[in-house]
Amino acid sequence: MPDQPRKIHVIDSHTGGEPTRVITAGGPDLGRGSLIERRAIFAEKFDDIRSAVINEPRGSDVLVGALLVEPTDPSCIAGVLFFNNASYLGMCGHGTIGVAMTLVSMGRIQKPGTYRLETPVGIVSIEYHGGNEVTIENIPSYRHAKDVSIIVDGIGTIVGDVAWGGNWFFLVADHGQELERSNIEKLTDFTRRIRQALARDGISGKDGAEIDHIELFGPPKLPENQSRNFVLCPGLAYDRSPCGTGTSAKLACLFANGKLREGEIWRQESIIGSVFEGSVRIDEGRIIPRIKGSAYVTAEAILLIDRDDPFALGIPR
Ligand code: PYC
């Protein structure tokens, strides 16, 4: 009789086309420390679980994972650790909207209202509007550096801003690229080269943090939107959604440039045409982005990890 496979319960959803897989039971026990400590234990001792859940053959490069944990702050409905095919994320905007709808599907959110969620980078709030709509209020976001010029191999000089929206972004408006679905392969190569140039030149976020998300902006397809983007995530996947943390970084830059007022709506279109509605609230001088979007639950499943399976822990990158 073979050993029983390990069972991990998950709920999958997508937010504007970008998938999230929430581990609801059977995940690693990370203890009761801060979420930063628990994320470090996850990475050090249980990275094979991240790989098994996210990588092929069970997952894919585009999937973002979320592990639900007990929060340290009792005012929070849950704690959450985000991860993907490359590593662990500080925050994830589309993922938070997906987690909110997952909590609805689990019956842990039963009515419209505002709930708090603990992440390693701070507490975010989720406002459930009913149906599939959620607004998240992100952690304070800011522009770290303006008009940073870099020379990119095979491209030339590119100028962009470095900003924090829960992850580190390099935001580029002037790039000469067509933000079209048919151009995704080229956009992926273009943004990958920008990321390599930033690393080569030691251009980073605060305290030397790696800039692992690259964001290109262009005109929207639909007149009711303000902008369209293409976002390269850590690894080589692009965000199908307009990227919650990326839109937060954009809102912080717009506010810093005097191009967005408090409460004014910014509709950000993704490369596949899905939309987040963004705005900012100012709290003691800090920029607090608000992002509204919709998520849909697509599956509830039990992942089986059979130790005899040569790819039980996923196909390594
Ligand atoms: O929505 O913040 C986001 C996000 C980060 C990476 C993929 N999506």
Side-chain angles (χ1 to χ4, degrees):
M1 181 74 175
D3 286 346
Q4 287 301 304
R6 177 172 184 155
K7 293 185 176 181
I8 298 182
H9 295 242
V10 297
I11 296 182
D12 287 358
S13 61
H14 80 86
T15 309
E18 181 77 351
T20 307
R21 172 167 286 170
V22 180
I23 300 180
T24 57
D29 180 358
L30 306 176
R32 286 284 181 273
S34 71
L35 263 64
I36 290 181
E37 287 163 347
R38 280 186 253 178
R39 184 176 59 179
I41 295 171
F42 197 174
E44 273 163 34
K45 298 202 173 137
F46 300 102
D47 198 51
D48 53 352
I49 302 288
R50 178 192 63 78
S51 176
V53 169
I54 285 292
N55 286 330
E56 294 179 24
R58 292 182 198 81
S60 78
D61 280 3
V62 68
L63 195 55
V64 168
L67 173 66
L68 289 182
V69 296
E70 276 295 312
T72 62
D73 182 326
S75 71
C76 293
I77 185 164
V80 62
L81 300 175
F82 290 109
F83 50 96
N84 66 9
N85 64 330
S87 60
Y88 297 81
L89 294 165
M91 226 304 270
C92 181
H94 93 268
T96 302
I97 295 171
V99 166
M101 287 312 301
T102 298
L103 293 171
V104 170
S105 83
M106 293 169 78
R108 288 178 62 176
I109 290 180
Q110 295 197 334
K111 53 180 193 322
T114 301
Y115 304 85
R116 283 156 64 84
L117 197 62
E118 192 170 338
T119 78
V121 292
I123 291 175
V124 297
S125 78
I126 48 185
E127 187 181 345
Y128 175 51
H129 300 287
N132 292 80
E133 281 202 330
V134 176
T135 298
I136 65 167
E137 197 165 271
N138 199 356
I139 53 159
S141 300
Y142 59 93
R143 179 165 62 196
H144 178 68
K146 183 172 165 30
D147 292 340
V148 177
S149 183
I150 44 165
I151 296 175
V152 181
D153 280 348
I155 295 176
T157 302
I158 290 284
V159 178
D161 288 356
V162 178
W164 170 252
N167 292 299
W168 283 104
F169 289 83
F170 192 68
L171 299 91
V172 182
D174 189 6
H175 43 71
Q177 299 300 300
E178 294 269 328
L179 300 189
E180 295 286 350
R181 276 181 85 172
S182 55
N183 205 24
I184 280 172
E185 231 171 275
K186 188 156 172 242
L187 294 170
T188 301
D189 181 59
F190 188 88
T191 45
R192 178 183 61 88
R193 286 169 187 266
I194 294 177
R195 187 164 62 196
Q196 283 170 344
L198 292 167
R200 180 202 64 209
D201 291 355
I203 296 168
S204 65
K206 193 172 162 217
D207 300 329
E210 182 194 355
I211 301 170
D212 52 6
H213 292 72
I214 310 296
E215 205 169 4
L216 306 179
F217 292 91
K221 282 248 190 278
L222 297 180
E224 62 266 35
N225 301 330
Q226 274 69 48
S227 160
R228 185 175 181 87
N229 69 7
F230 173 85
V231 183
L232 181 72
C233 297
L236 283 181
Y238 69 92
D239 200 330
R240 276 67 172 160
S241 84
C243 191
T245 50
T247 300
S248 298
K250 175 69 176 173
L251 296 172
C253 292
L254 286 165
F255 188 80
N257 283 340
K259 291 193 172 153
L260 184 78
R261 293 185 306 273
E262 184 174 11
E264 194 181 342
I265 298 295
W266 178 268
R267 286 175 58 87
Q268 183 66 57
E269 198 178 275
S270 77
I271 192 73
I272 66 160
S274 53
V275 175
F276 283 164
E277 198 175 278
S279 63
V280 299
R281 178 172 74 77
I282 305 303
D283 178 30
E284 296 177 356
R286 299 175 315 165
I287 302 168
I288 315 285
R290 290 172 58 80
I291 308 286
K292 185 176 183 186
S294 306
Y296 295 83
V297 168
T298 53
E300 288 187 25
I302 302 176
L303 306 182
L304 302 178
I305 302 183
D306 177 344
R307 294 281 164 179
D308 291 338
D309 173 357
F311 295 110
L313 301 178
I315 302 171
R317 291 175 66 230

